[in-house]
Amino acid sequence: MTSRAGREPRIATLERVTTESDIAITINLDGAGNADIDTDNGMLKHMLDAFARHGAFDLTVRARGHVSMGWHHVLEDTGIVLGRAINDALGEKRGIIRMGHALVPLDEALSRAVVDLSGRGYAVVDMGVPKYSGEFSSDEVRHFMEAFAIEGRLNLHIDVLAGKNDHHRSESAFKALARALRDAVAYDDRNPDVIPST
């Protein structure tokens, strides 16, 4: 099976099992936005569904863990494994655009995401002041994004520019990340065989 660009699809499968969580992820960067998310956290399922759909990534996730102290470790470990899977799927990154950015609104919320698949993991994430106390707040989103960027070996800047509802701010951030990554992992028709690095 070949991707839309006439190349083999970029797919990776990873699993991470610790005393706190059991996370397994498969991602196809050349997918159609199909998601199969198996987790007891409804908000995490919703965010990963949005990430897959707006990134046009096929994504399968199993995220379980000990949650007596909250969802922190399951969220962090999901970010770790997702970042590693994307990095693995990219391989040597030959022929990709490498950088991408997006502005995404959701009602009153507006988020900006900028990514560089540089091989250097670094994150600057400003989600604003957390206001939601449900399954996880936007501060947990910040921590997810930081773990994702470090383990994915990518430079990530995300900031929520507007928004009062914490769910809307979190969702717009995930969608902005997806759209920025969609552009960054896309093949560069002008330099199809070049690794985009000096």
Side-chain angles (χ1 to χ4, degrees):
M1 181 173 139
T2 58
S3 71
R4 289 184 294 272
R7 305 181 191 215
E8 290 299 312
R10 296 166 295 173
I11 300 172
T13 298
L14 289 175
E15 184 173 9
R16 183 172 192 262
V17 179
T18 69
T19 58
E20 297 163 332
S21 71
D22 182 350
I23 313 296
I25 292 178
T26 297
I27 190 163
N28 177 358
L29 299 178
D30 302 299
N34 300 312
D36 179 9
I37 314 300
D38 178 13
T39 180
D40 292 330
N41 187 304
M43 183 70 167
L44 179 59
K45 179 179 182 352
H46 183 41
M47 295 302 102
L48 294 175
D49 280 336
F51 175 81
R53 179 176 305 275
H54 293 281
F57 308 130
D58 290 345
L59 181 65
T60 301
V61 176
R62 184 190 71 243
R64 300 269 186 239
H66 301 290
V67 296
S68 61
M69 299 297 291
W71 286 96
H72 177 84
H73 293 295
V74 172
L75 297 172
E76 176 183 33
D77 292 349
T78 302
I80 287 170
V81 178
L82 182 59
R84 289 178 183 173
I86 288 173
N87 187 56
D88 283 1
L90 283 167
E92 65 179 355
K93 303 175 185 172
R94 183 175 301 277
I96 65 167
I97 298 289
R98 185 181 136 169
M99 298 171 204
H101 64 276
L103 283 166
V104 174
L106 179 62
D107 295 344
E108 87 295 348
L110 176 65
S111 293
R112 172 177 52 201
V114 183
V115 298
D116 179 5
L117 304 175
S118 63
R120 296 182 305 278
Y122 197 88
V124 179
V125 181
D126 182 358
M127 296 296 299
V129 178
K131 300 174 181 141
Y132 179 71
S133 59
E135 288 181 305
F136 59 89
S137 72
S138 58
D139 189 57
E140 291 290 356
V141 174
R142 174 196 56 78
H143 190 61
F144 176 100
M145 297 294 187
E146 289 170 349
F148 169 81
I150 291 166
E151 296 295 329
R153 301 186 64 199
L154 58 95
N155 187 208
L156 172 63
H157 287 253
I158 291 184
D159 49 334
V160 175
L161 304 172
K164 296 177 181 178
N165 181 284
D166 211 37
H167 180 126
H168 293 171
R169 293 187 296 126
S170 296
E171 187 172 345
S172 68
F174 267 91
K175 289 177 178 177
L177 172 64
R179 294 299 305 194
L181 275 172
R182 181 176 179 163
D183 289 348
V185 305
Y187 287 115
D188 185 347
D189 293 336
R190 296 174 63 186
N191 294 292
D193 297 313
V194 174
I195 296 174
S197 176
T198 54

